Amino acid sequence: MREYENKYINSEKTAWDLRSILWDIGRSWWMILLVAMSASLLTYSAISFTHEDRYTVSTTFTVSQSGGDSNAVSNLSAAYEMAQKFSVILENNILKKTVMEELGLDSFPATMNASVVEESNLMQLSVTADSPQNAYLILESVLRNYPTLSDYIIPNVVLQTLEQPQISGSPSNQLPVRKYMLYAFLAAAAAVAAVIGVTSYLRDTVKNEQEFSQKVDAYLLGTIYHEKKKKKSSMLITNPVRSFRYVEAYRMAASRVRGRMDRKHAKILLVTSVAENEGKSTTASNLALALAQEQKKVLLVDCDFRRPALHKIFDVGNREIKDFSLVLQGKEKVGGIFEKVQNLPLYTAFSRHSIENPSELISDGRLERLLRSCCKKMDYVILDSPPMGLAVDAEELIQIADAAVLSVRQDAVLTQDINDAIDVLNQKDEKVIGCVFSNVYPPIGERFRQGAYGYEGYGKYSKADR
């Protein structure tokens, strides 16, 4: 076992794995959508509460000098002068007070503006208020009352109404609410995706083979690449639809397991994982098959008494088989409990029913005596156990086993938890002979160059199966 100055080298460097980041972002689509929709609705609410619609009503005058000597130049000059001085009239408190009294208003809820249409003697007067009705009524009142002041400020100027004021049905300061909501949606979605991406990058998991050698305090027995799985299609290496790469990876891992067990003179191998759905049952089954293909006598025992899965992996169906857990409880006889698989020297002991508290069943000695007696006729006995993070059964089974293999799924469990599990299994003796790195996706570039190997839904028979 390697010694590290710092046991968890992962603290020094986190590898960049684009597939893992994109996978985490895609897997969290519902969170991204929820936050983005919330941001969009909050934007709408904020605009609704803070923005006040304003309505503008306007009218146009022609401006001309009174008297017979008026001409285009004088009328243009008069228009500019009128616009400047008319602004003074509009801001005059006397005019505003007159309008308020006429309309019965307590305050003057509008702004007024006078401007000249470029290169013409036309002047536009506009009134902006909180409602189209108020804007229209105030403009009408201004038109009726401004002459009392304009005669003193701007004499000898004639204003003729060219365009009567019309009530406006749409706000003059209307905001593009849908556009802002879309911007908020996209910005929030991008922000959440970025946070998930950064979190994925910083999450201390094993993302590739290089990281495995740097982070995990155990030997890498083999890398099992992602293999697509069709419904009702077995993940066993005896299934002819499994890829050559998948089958050979398990055979190579089994060869390494055999070599390390033989050096330890080990007979009983425990296969476990830290968490559920890491492929431990599939790994145990395929290691047993690969060893049996080497003409080794192998017994595969389902010791996951809480959520047995091997009978589903081997597709036993409704066929009558003896339940290994019932044998241990003394409810069935031992005879006929072990079934031979196909034409291989592989024997199985399946469990169908879950047991609430199997710890006593494991530790009372009956299981160990039965397994040790099987070792006399078998080359290897492989135990499929519950995940270490969910039950203590694996810690009790390791007392019976001579060696252990940990199934580690890519980017699934924190490195510290993996190393802690290895330490627990190695408490008395160095029993962990290595790890199988499962459900590994090749780098995106390699997948494009060589094609995608691997399978989908690794180990997902159901959560109850793990």
Side-chain angles (χ1 to χ4, degrees):
M1 196 65 66
R2 298 188 301 271
E3 295 292 335
Y4 297 108
E5 293 181 6
N6 181 355
K7 180 178 180 180
Y8 304 117
I9 295 180
N10 50 288
S11 61
E12 299 175 4
K13 181 182 178 181
T14 301
W16 174 271
D17 190 86
L18 182 59
R19 191 216 64 84
S20 297
I21 294 173
L22 294 177
W23 172 256
D24 286 336
I25 292 174
R27 188 170 51 184
S28 304
W29 66 267
W30 61 271
M31 182 189 302
I32 296 173
L33 180 62
L34 181 62
V35 174
M37 291 181 65
S38 300
S40 183
L41 292 174
L42 285 173
T43 300
Y44 175 79
S45 301
I47 292 175
S48 300
F49 281 112
T50 59
H51 179 72
E52 183 180 355
D53 287 337
R54 305 286 288 176
Y55 298 84
T56 300
V57 177
S58 60
T59 186
T60 304
F61 302 97
T62 59
V63 182
S64 60
Q65 291 280 1
S66 61
D69 59 345
S70 65
N71 53 50
V73 176
S74 62
N75 289 342
L76 186 60
S77 176
Y80 280 103
E81 183 181 4
M82 185 66 177
Q84 293 174 0
K85 293 186 177 180
F86 207 84
S87 298
V88 177
I89 296 174
L90 297 178
E91 293 299 323
N92 191 284
N93 288 330
I94 297 175
L95 178 61
K96 290 181 179 180
K97 187 175 181 181
T98 302
V99 172
M100 289 165 58
E101 289 176 355
E102 185 175 277
L103 299 178
L105 301 173
D106 296 329
S107 60
F108 194 77
T111 57
M112 299 180 291
N113 181 58
S115 60
V116 175
V117 179
E118 271 189 54
E119 298 182 359
S120 71
N121 66 325
L122 300 179
M123 185 184 76
Q124 188 177 62
L125 173 63
S126 62
V127 174
T128 302
D130 56 358
S131 71
Q133 292 82 7
N134 282 343
Y136 177 79
L137 293 174
I138 291 172
L139 179 57
E140 288 286 336
S141 179
V142 169
L143 293 178
R144 287 193 297 270
N145 293 288
Y146 83 87
T148 58
L149 294 173
S150 63
D151 289 343
Y152 293 100
I153 300 175
I154 317 171
N156 302 322
V157 174
V158 179
L159 297 180
Q160 292 182 335
T161 303
L162 185 65
E163 184 182 82
Q164 293 296 330
Q166 300 291 329
I167 295 179
S168 174
S170 59
S172 57
N173 65 336
Q174 189 172 15
L175 293 176
V177 179
R178 289 186 178 181
K179 183 184 291 186
Y180 290 161
M181 290 177 66
L182 177 60
Y183 288 162
F185 182 93
L186 295 176
V192 175
V195 170
I196 294 173
V198 171
T199 303
S200 175
Y201 171 72
L202 296 177
R203 186 174 63 246
D204 184 20
T205 56
V206 183
K207 299 180 177 67
N208 49 56
E209 289 180 88
Q210 181 182 2
E211 276 200 341
F212 191 99
S213 62
Q214 293 175 338
K215 294 182 175 183
V216 179
D217 191 12
Y219 178 74
L220 178 59
L221 294 166
T223 299
I224 313 299
Y225 283 93
H226 176 80
E227 179 97 349
K228 289 183 179 179
K229 177 187 177 184
K230 297 180 180 179
K231 290 183 178 180
K232 298 181 180 180
S233 178
S234 168
M235 296 308 300
L236 299 177
I237 60 175
T238 51
N239 186 347
V241 303
R242 294 300 117 218
S243 69
F244 175 80
R245 185 176 188 177
Y246 177 79
V247 173
E248 286 303 306
Y250 268 117
R251 286 176 176 170
M252 185 177 296
S255 177
R256 291 170 180 170
V257 167
R258 174 176 50 77
R260 287 180 167 256
M261 289 189 69
D262 289 348
R263 284 196 293 272
K264 289 173 65 72
H265 303 289
K267 286 277 193 175
I268 302 176
L269 175 69
L270 175 71
V271 179
T272 187
S273 62
V274 176
E276 61 180 346
N277 288 326
E278 287 199 78
K280 62 171 184 59
S281 297
T282 302
T283 296
S285 301
N286 282 328
L287 289 178
L289 284 169
L291 289 171
Q293 288 176 343
E294 295 181 5
Q295 298 305 310
K296 301 294 182 181
K297 290 184 178 180
V298 183
L299 172 63
L300 177 62
V301 183
D302 194 343
C303 290
D304 188 347
F305 301 117
R306 298 176 188 269
R307 295 177 180 177
L310 289 183
H311 67 285
K312 293 187 177 183
I313 293 176
F314 282 85
D315 194 21
V316 173
N318 296 323
R319 179 165 54 86
E320 277 193 24
I321 58 171
K322 276 196 173 185
D323 194 313
F324 185 65
S325 62
L326 296 179
V327 171
L328 291 181
Q329 295 176 72
K331 296 179 181 180
E332 286 190 11
K333 294 182 179 179
V334 179
I337 188 63
F338 304 126
E339 288 199 358
K340 195 170 186 294
V341 176
Q342 298 176 354
N343 297 320
L344 296 172
L346 172 62
Y347 299 84
T348 57
F350 296 136
S351 298
R352 279 188 182 272
H353 305 94
S354 60
I355 301 175
E356 291 185 3
N357 185 20
S359 297
E360 295 180 4
L361 200 65
I362 297 172
S363 58
D364 67 359
R366 183 180 177 87
L367 175 62
E368 183 173 8
R369 289 193 298 271
L370 179 58
L371 294 177
R372 291 297 174 190
S373 65
C374 291
C375 288
K376 297 176 183 178
K377 297 181 179 180
M378 297 290 166
D379 294 313
Y380 306 105
V381 176
I382 299 179
L383 312 180
D384 176 33
S385 81
M388 296 184 65
L390 299 181
V392 298
D393 300 1
E395 297 179 33
E396 295 175 346
L397 286 169
I398 195 62
Q399 307 301 322
I400 301 173
D402 303 317
V405 168
L406 198 67
S407 179
V408 178
R409 181 169 179 164
Q410 181 187 31
D411 195 28
V413 179
L414 295 178
T415 307
Q416 182 173 347
D417 293 337
I418 296 171
N419 285 326
D420 286 345
I422 293 171
D423 286 344
V424 170
L425 296 173
N426 285 335
Q427 276 184 357
K428 288 187 177 180
D429 300 304
E430 297 288 327
K431 291 189 176 183
V432 177
I433 60 175
C435 300
V436 174
F437 194 27
S438 64
N439 198 40
V440 178
Y441 287 79
I444 291 178
E446 181 182 337
R447 295 183 72 188
F448 279 113
R449 290 193 302 270
Q450 301 180 3
Y453 292 92
Y455 53 100
E456 207 170 77
Y458 176 79
K460 290 188 178 178
Y461 299 96
S462 75
K463 283 191 176 181
D465 301 339
R466 286 292 174 268

